[in-house]
Amino acid sequence: DVKVTQSSRYLVKRTGEKVFLECVQDMDHENMFWYRQDPGLGLRLIYFSYDVKMKEKGDIPEGYSVSREKKERFSLILESASTNQTSMYLCASSLGREPQHFGDGTRLSIL
Amino acid sequence: RKEVEQDPGPFNVPEGATVAFNCTYSNSASQSFFWYRQDCRKEPKLLMSVYSSGNEDGRFTAQLNRASQYISLLIRDSKLSDSATYLCVVNGAGGSYIPTFGRGTSLIVHP
């Protein structure tokens, strides 16, 4: 069974901090994704990676960056956290056009 | 026009009822179709893939109508535990590996 592991379930940070969210998958999937989900807005894609060191911007990349140095790990970085980045962050991985598998999510609060 | 549209609901049904959701998509070149289930404050989980021939998994039946560009999910004999948000997902248009999510349909099954 595919396992996607996110480093934290809950995280509280302060405005202006640099925040790292880590995601690891164990199924050798090429594709990895970072989403945020807010009430009434559905899932919104922040960044997507289809290979090591490759990345593409999603719908809402502003204020975020990503890193994929190894195939199994995809990191989301909030360069300078702001209160409007308080949200649920979801990592997913997939093989080709097969269904995505999601991690448990990280509930991030920026104070 | 949104790429993937769903009625947000909520659909409020008694136990034992049959309920159906539709989802329309705008890109006729889409190739893969899925239904996900998301419980409150949890990650989306794959419920089933949707094939042109239709497919069934226990009480759940999914169908794809390419001509009219919609997919459907039918739940028979609803259980309290079916209460969740159901997300329609469409993938593969134009060779893309980035799926498009609907905003979800909320189902509440009451005693």
Side-chain angles (χ1 to χ4, degrees), chain A residues 53-66:
Chain A
K53 297 191 188 295
M54 306 304 287
K55 61 186 179 186
E56 283 188 17
K57 292 180 180 178
D59 301 317
I60 51 163
E62 296 78 20
Y64 303 93
S65 61
V66 290

Side-chain angles (χ1 to χ4, degrees), chain A residues 5-105:
Chain A
T5 303
Q6 293 185 228
S7 50
S8 307
R9 291 296 300 272
Y10 301 93
L11 206 53
V12 180
K13 295 291 182 180
R14 296 207 172 273
T15 304
E17 280 192 71
K18 191 168 186 175
V19 181
F20 294 85
L21 302 184
E22 306 286 347
C23 176
V24 177
Q25 50 95 3
D26 66 356
M27 283 303 291
D28 205 36
H29 285 170
E30 313 118 341
N31 305 322
M32 294 190 76
F33 307 79
W34 274 107
Y35 295 90
R36 64 178 283 177
Q37 188 173 33
D38 301 287
L41 295 179
L43 281 164
R44 291 184 290 167
L45 182 65
I46 304 171
Y47 267 99
F48 160 60
S49 170
Y50 55 91
D51 202 351
V52 175
K53 297 191 188 295
M54 306 304 287
K55 61 186 179 186
E56 283 188 17
K57 292 180 180 178
D59 301 317
I60 51 163
E62 296 78 20
Y64 303 93
S65 61
V66 290
S67 171
R68 193 160 180 206
E69 296 296 318
K70 294 184 178 181
K71 192 173 186 179
E72 67 269 19
R73 185 179 296 270
F74 192 34
S75 304
L76 179 70
I77 303 144
L78 286 64
E79 297 291 342
S80 177
S82 63
T83 54
N84 64 10
Q85 292 179 309
T86 291
S87 186
M88 164 82 130
Y89 288 86
L90 287 157
C91 174
S93 73
S94 70
L95 187 65
R97 293 192 195 93
E98 292 185 9
Q100 291 177 315
H101 298 266
F102 284 84
D104 291 343

Side-chain angles (χ1 to χ4, degrees), chain B residues 1-89:
Chain B
R1 181 184 168 190
K2 294 197 188 85
E3 292 185 49
V4 177
E5 293 207 51
Q6 296 183 250
D7 181 344
F11 285 63
N12 213 314
V13 303
E15 272 185 291
T18 295
V19 61
F21 311 134
N22 278 346
C23 162
T24 58
Y25 61 94
S26 59
N27 194 325
S28 60
S30 300
Q31 299 185 28
S32 309
F33 307 88
F34 312 102
W35 282 103
Y36 279 71
R37 171 198 169 120
Q38 186 172 25
D39 293 292
C40 188
R41 302 174 74 84
K42 296 284 187 74
E43 78 277 17
K45 291 185 178 175
L46 179 67
L47 181 64
M48 57 200 305
S49 301
V50 189
Y51 306 113
S52 297
S53 54
N55 48 304
E56 190 172 307
D57 183 2
R59 298 181 293 107
F60 298 83
T61 301
Q63 295 208 306
L64 167 63
N65 185 318
R66 283 192 185 273
S68 300
Q69 294 181 209
Y70 75 85
I71 68 173
S72 63
L73 178 67
L74 182 78
I75 305 175
R76 290 181 297 278
D77 189 23
S78 298
K79 311 290 184 194
L80 295 176
S81 57
D82 293 334
S83 297
T85 297
Y86 291 84
L87 303 171
C88 166
V89 183

